[in-house]
């Protein structure tokens, strides 16, 4: 099989993970990454043998740091069949004209406005609609988490209403200048938060309102959610459906004593996962509670890695490489993504 | 006016604040506080001229620390007309036989089971029902916060349903052995949390489900709440009602730039409030959002001080000293409790 050539423009939290994931795909070749600053991540990429492209003016800086440069970002885009843009929020849109002028397909991340792309994407929800789309936006980590739950619940009974609170992590582990370190911050203070609107870019016809606050932690987001579904549902049916859905894993707190985001991450470290990433949504099984047509639950979202498999699937959808089930299976197998219980 | 004699048994986070508040009331006399360990709080109480009572076996320890002891806790209870029990969770119930045997009225805190008392109490909700009750339980900080909001909303339109998420502070500022410091912890992992049941000990007939998580912060709890009310309500009516309700204050984030628990506390520090206490519920005005019969909002609860005015009012209700409105007014005036905008 001839491999498609993928470029990753932006090499931070998401970009470095997507680049690693691409290198594990049987049908993809990573031709290089775009990086503007010669920091420790660039040094590691170079050591791994990943080709680094940068903007013309910064080539000297990279060479001073002893990092090899393969060319300019424009050179990289020219060589690619598709570009995964993982530049910072809002920067992706400024690169779009370059991708367009060179006639390349491109993926954008959730930090861009929805209209940057032809479609917003979440693999379990709308893979098929994204087939052949030239520009696809992979929604943000929180929206990805919500959509996996909502689209899976939809299989049991139509989700009519969602009321969710998003407790966001304050900073990623590597970030040394972000806070808060001792405050809870409504973010935004106004209701509804943008997450509700973002869910509706992927699935329609749901009455959804979200509220969001930031908490001083780096490990994971945590959502509390109340879903109102068309027909009365059974707790066991929900658990069984989740257990059979890839990219959703359950943690049984009473049996395993894992009952926080810190302990979930510790399990991932003990499992030897690279960077302790958890691309699965992690549902606290004990929190699943039904009350008539309402379903309550709490789950964790690993902000750094949850969108990685989504980006891989979106590449295949955009270029028409595989159907939904096949792509999800290959992505899960190559990245070691689980279903069932965490432990 | 002859003052009623009040003893405070337990002198930690709540006890020391209630003792200070009693000393500010025109109709109350603090006869002393019960304290079992001769720590810095006992030293400060002694310096303030507050009489300290302890258990017989610990008198020597206090004297070694240079702290004067007025007698045993039993001596103190004998002298009192009423005891405010602020001993640790679950300890209050073990003291009840002493209060009973000496024929004293007593208040308990929310950490005790509801059946320790004749009634659970929240001043804005059920002051009148508590009149003359020998044993009253002042509900916990989170429950007090929820009840103030629910009972105030009830005045606008009957509250039929409440769905709330409680983001709890991990530890009080003085606690050096509690966590988490980098995790979000469902607490409990199961739904509903006990807070819903606790609200129902004070007001009946509401369909309420709560979910709770702990976040790594010390300053305040923060709740996100969705109330379903009987009649469609108007955002301005809610704001106006809150502005006219004592013990609820609003913070307008856009106008004042106060948009987190840390900034609320900083305002209290700048105002010169003792210990930076905020016994009011602090509602983020920007978060108030109506959607048909639903009302959404977010508010902060200062865990260390919110129940202080409730304890003062409960003393008056138990001993029949004043009616509801008068007691709340005297408490608010003496403690400097606000209504309206924080700034």
């Amino acid at each position: 099989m001839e491999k498609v050539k993928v470029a990753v423009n932006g090499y931070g939290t998401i970009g470095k993970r997507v680049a690693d994931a691409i290198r594990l795909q049987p049908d993809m070749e990573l031709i290089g990454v775009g990086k503007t600053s010669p920091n420790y991540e660039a040094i590691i990429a170079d050591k791994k043998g990943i080709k680094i492209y940068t903007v013309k003016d910064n080539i000297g800086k990279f060479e001073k740091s002893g990092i090899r440069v393969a060319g300019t970002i424009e050179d990289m885009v020219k060589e690619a069949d598709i570009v995964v843009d993982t530049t910072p929020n809002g920067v992706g849109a400024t690169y779009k004209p370059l991708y367009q002028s060179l006639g390349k397909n491109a993926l954008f991340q959730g930090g861009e406005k929805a209209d940057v792309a032809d479609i917003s994407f979440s693999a379990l929800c709308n893979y098929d609609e994204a087939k052949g789309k030239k520009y696809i936006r992979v929604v943000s980590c929180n929206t990805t988490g919500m959509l996996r739950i909502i689209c899976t619940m939809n299989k049991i009974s139509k989700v009519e209403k969602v009321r969710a609170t998003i407790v966001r992590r304050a900073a990623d582990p590597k970030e040394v200048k972000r806070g808060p370190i001792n405050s809870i911050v409504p973010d935004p203070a106004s209701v509804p938060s943008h997450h509700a609107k973002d869910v509706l870019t992927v699935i329609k016809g749901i009455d959804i309102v979200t509220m969001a606050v930031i908490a001083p932690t780096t490990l994971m987001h945590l959502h509390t959610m109340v879903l109102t579904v068309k027909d009365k549902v059974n707790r066991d049916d929900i658990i069984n459906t989740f257990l059979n859905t890839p990219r959703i894993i359950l943690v049984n707190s009473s049996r395993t004593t894992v009952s926080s985001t810190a302990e979930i991450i510790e399990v991932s470290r003990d499992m030897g996962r690279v960077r302790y990433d958890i691309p699965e949504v992690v549902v606290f099984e004990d929190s699943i509670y039904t009350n008539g047509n309402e379903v309550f639950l709490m789950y964790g979202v690993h902000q750094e890695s949850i969108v990685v498999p989504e980006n891989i699937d979106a590449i295949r959808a955009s270029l028409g490489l595989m159907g939904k089930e096949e792509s999800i299976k290959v992505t899960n197998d190559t990245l070691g993504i689980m279903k069932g219980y965490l432990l």
Side-chain angles (χ1 to χ4, degrees), chain A:
Chain A
M1 168 168 42
E2 205 183 332
K3 294 181 176 190
V4 296
K5 293 178 179 171
V6 188
V8 174
N9 190 21
Y11 195 73
T13 301
I14 302 301
K16 64 188 181 184
R17 288 173 166 85
V18 171
D20 283 350
I22 288 165
R23 302 215 298 171
L24 294 169
Q25 303 311 308
D27 51 349
M28 299 179 196
E29 178 194 348
L30 178 72
I31 60 163
V33 300
K35 179 90 181 133
T36 52
S37 62
N39 69 352
Y40 61 88
E41 288 168 322
I43 296 172
I44 296 171
D46 190 27
K47 279 184 195 285
K48 281 183 173 177
I50 293 173
K51 281 192 190 164
I52 296 170
Y53 296 81
T54 190
V55 291
K56 211 168 196 169
D57 289 353
N58 288 3
I59 293 178
K61 282 195 211 170
F62 275 79
E63 287 172 344
K64 252 186 221 163
S65 298
I67 301 166
R68 293 168 293 181
V69 174
T72 65
I73 288 170
E74 196 173 329
D75 294 336
M76 176 182 79
V77 175
K78 276 182 191 158
E79 266 193 68
D81 297 315
I82 187 167
V83 183
V84 183
D85 184 292
T86 55
T87 58
N89 293 351
V91 177
T94 69
Y95 270 107
K96 189 177 176 188
L98 174 67
Y99 311 146
Q100 271 178 314
S101 68
L102 296 170
K104 304 299 181 180
N105 289 24
L107 309 186
F108 298 91
Q109 305 304 309
E112 305 302 317
K113 288 183 183 156
D115 64 9
V116 76
D118 305 321
I119 189 168
S120 289
F121 179 84
S122 179
L124 299 187
C125 296
N126 69 342
Y127 185 100
D128 290 333
E129 289 171 51
K131 273 189 192 160
K133 292 283 192 295
K134 202 159 178 81
Y135 303 112
I136 299 178
R137 171 175 168 267
V138 176
V139 291
S140 71
C141 48
N142 279 308
T143 306
T144 298
M146 288 195 288
L147 281 166
R148 282 200 196 148
I149 297 295
I150 295 168
C151 291
T152 302
M153 200 71 76
N154 248 335
K155 289 188 196 165
I156 310 173
S157 174
K158 185 165 169 26
V159 175
E160 297 182 332
K161 193 161 96 170
V162 176
R163 298 289 179 263
T165 293
I166 297 165
V167 184
R168 304 174 62 179
R169 65 84 184 91
D172 285 342
K174 73 174 183 181
E175 293 176 308
V176 295
K177 289 182 182 175
R178 277 181 73 168
I181 64 165
N182 190 14
S183 186
I184 306 172
V185 186
D187 186 60
S190 60
V191 176
S193 74
H194 68 275
H195 305 91
K197 211 174 131 190
D198 207 28
V199 162
L200 296 173
T201 65
V202 174
I203 47 170
K204 320 285 176 203
I206 289 183
D207 167 13
I208 177 167
V209 179
T210 52
M211 295 186 269
V213 300
I214 304 176
T217 181
T218 62
L219 302 176
M220 299 178 91
H221 304 298
L222 188 144
H223 299 182
T224 70
M225 187 178 269
V226 188
L227 303 104
T228 307
V229 292
K230 191 157 187 293
D231 308 300
K232 213 165 178 165
V233 289
N234 183 295
R235 182 172 187 269
D236 288 341
D237 289 345
I238 297 167
I239 292 172
N240 286 329
T241 304
F242 282 168
L243 286 174
N244 286 303
T245 303
R247 301 189 187 170
I248 293 180
I249 51 181
L250 292 174
V251 56
N252 180 311
S253 303
S254 349
R255 181 170 58 79
T256 64
T257 75
V258 173
S259 49
S260 67
T261 59
E263 291 155 312
I264 291 167
I265 295 294
E266 190 71 2
V267 169
S268 180
R269 296 172 70 204
D270 284 348
M271 282 175 162
R273 282 188 162 195
V274 175
R275 298 187 179 98
Y276 68 68
D277 283 352
I278 308 182
E280 302 91 349
V281 167
V282 187
V283 178
F284 291 94
E285 184 182 31
D286 296 0
S287 75
I288 301 170
Y289 170 71
T290 57
N291 176 39
N293 287 34
E294 284 179 313
V295 179
F296 296 75
L297 79 166
M298 297 194 255
Y299 56 89
V301 171
H302 184 228
Q303 75 279 359
E304 297 171 293
S305 66
I306 191 171
V307 300
V308 173
E310 308 293 326
N311 274 279
I312 299 300
D313 290 331
I315 292 169
R316 294 206 183 93
S318 179
L319 296 177
L321 302 179
M322 288 181 192
K324 174 180 177 178
E325 299 307 326
E326 190 186 358
S327 176
I328 290 176
K329 189 181 178 325
V330 173
T331 304
N332 292 348
D333 288 350
T334 51
L335 303 185
I337 291 176
M338 297 164 59
K339 68 174 179 181
Y341 284 105
L342 171 66
L343 283 181

